[in-house]
Amino acid sequence: MSIEATKTVGELAAEVPNATREFEKLGIDYCCGGSRTLGEACAEARISIEDALARLRNGLAAAQPKPGREWKQDPLAELIAHICNTHHVFVRQEIPRIEQLAEKVMSVHGANHAELFEVQALFATLADELGVHLMKEEQVLFPYIVRLEEAALAHEPGPAAMFGTVVNPVRMMMQDHDGAGNVLKKLREITSNYAVPGDACASYRALYEALPAFEADLHQHIHLENNILFPRAVAMELGAA
Ligand SMILES: [Fe+2]
Ligand SMILES: [Fe+2]
């Protein structure tokens, strides 16, 4: 496996063990911004390409022999089950908890920390959009991909789709991901990277811990979809055509 500056961030995230962890540390967007080359991403983030390459190589060297599942090869139906059972469950669990915290912290501390009003409003928008997004994936796109894989394994023609080709819903889902990524970036900006002020109460701290954890999980989630599931589904449909 070669680690080169000319590979895209998405390819490296999918192929190199521990790469997503290193990208998080470097502040390189590897899910929505996965189509840029590593060189471009480093230039944009103003970090040295040699440093990024060294970190990726060290991360690879430190990886366990078999770090979890090989999502580049394992059945798509299993990848989809994993996404739904871990990431979709997490999003649905966290949304009401974070919404409640945001409301409470805003009402208590909003007078002294005006950004909390925006935090609450931005998260409410994100929550609404994600709710619809997960439903579209679970009810339309994912079942289609499962049927596509079943047909491919049985050497049968691909299933008929009301949306034409899988490329169309994939493009829509990736647009949703970009939207969610932008809201998360904005949240980070207005909270100065979730810096907890001196007068914060326990709920304030809990909120500023929950939001970056929600962000990290969503990055991993979008990475699995944008960089692995969607490209594999598009290639499978082409093969079945
Ligand atoms: Fe998803
Ligand atoms: Fe998604």
Side-chain angles (χ1 to χ4, degrees):
M1 160 180 351
S2 67
I3 300 178
E4 312 288 344
T6 49
K7 283 201 166 177
T8 69
V9 171
E11 281 169 339
L12 292 165
E15 287 171 13
V16 181
N18 285 330
T20 59
R21 193 180 308 207
E22 296 302 326
F23 287 147
E24 290 281 354
K25 282 192 224 153
L26 290 167
I28 289 181
D29 172 7
Y30 58 90
C31 47
C32 295
S35 58
R36 294 160 310 154
T37 64
L38 180 64
E40 287 164 349
C42 286
E44 204 171 290
R46 296 174 192 280
I47 48 180
S48 118
I49 179 77
E50 285 75 25
D51 180 43
L53 287 169
R55 278 165 178 270
L56 288 174
R57 291 187 181 123
N58 290 341
L60 170 62
Q64 297 299 318
K66 173 107 174 139
R69 302 293 303 260
E70 297 289 338
W71 293 127
K72 296 271 287 180
Q73 284 101 40
D74 287 347
L76 292 182
E78 287 176 25
L79 173 55
I80 286 172
H82 167 74
I83 289 172
C84 292
N85 295 336
T86 57
H87 298 296
H88 287 202
V89 165
F90 180 77
V91 167
R92 289 196 172 99
Q93 258 172 14
E94 284 297 276
I95 280 178
R97 188 176 82 87
I98 295 178
E99 278 184 328
Q100 235 177 9
L101 277 171
E103 294 263 349
K104 186 173 165 195
V105 173
M106 175 186 72
S107 66
V108 177
H109 295 274
N112 293 329
H113 300 281
E115 70 278 8
L116 290 170
F117 290 93
E118 211 181 337
V119 169
Q120 190 273 337
L122 280 171
F123 190 78
T125 311
L126 179 65
D128 283 351
E129 288 174 0
L130 279 176
V132 178
H133 176 80
L134 298 193
M135 227 162 61
K136 286 190 281 192
E137 287 183 341
E138 290 172 9
Q139 293 182 7
V140 183
L141 179 56
F142 289 177
Y144 176 77
I145 296 176
V146 169
R147 290 202 303 277
L148 189 65
E149 185 175 54
E150 282 167 1
L153 288 173
H155 304 289
E156 286 169 1
M162 60 179 172
F163 40 72
T165 153
V166 76
V167 172
N168 293 324
V170 158
R171 192 184 301 126
M172 283 167 57
M173 293 306 105
M174 288 176 74
Q175 279 168 5
D176 288 353
H177 293 167
D178 285 350
N182 287 335
V183 175
L184 289 166
K185 273 187 203 136
K186 182 89 191 142
L187 277 166
R188 216 168 236 292
E189 244 172 66
I190 62 171
T191 60
S192 309
N193 284 323
Y194 299 110
V196 179
D199 60 341
C201 62
S203 297
Y204 207 139
R205 274 196 296 277
L207 177 65
Y208 276 27
E209 275 166 23
L211 284 169
F214 190 84
E215 178 192 51
D217 182 80
L218 205 65
H219 282 165
Q220 197 62 38
H221 175 181
I222 293 176
H223 156 64
L224 288 176
E225 293 174 355
N226 277 16
N227 297 329
I228 301 179
L229 176 64
F230 296 165
R232 285 189 62 193
V234 169
M236 192 171 273
E237 189 187 56
L238 278 176

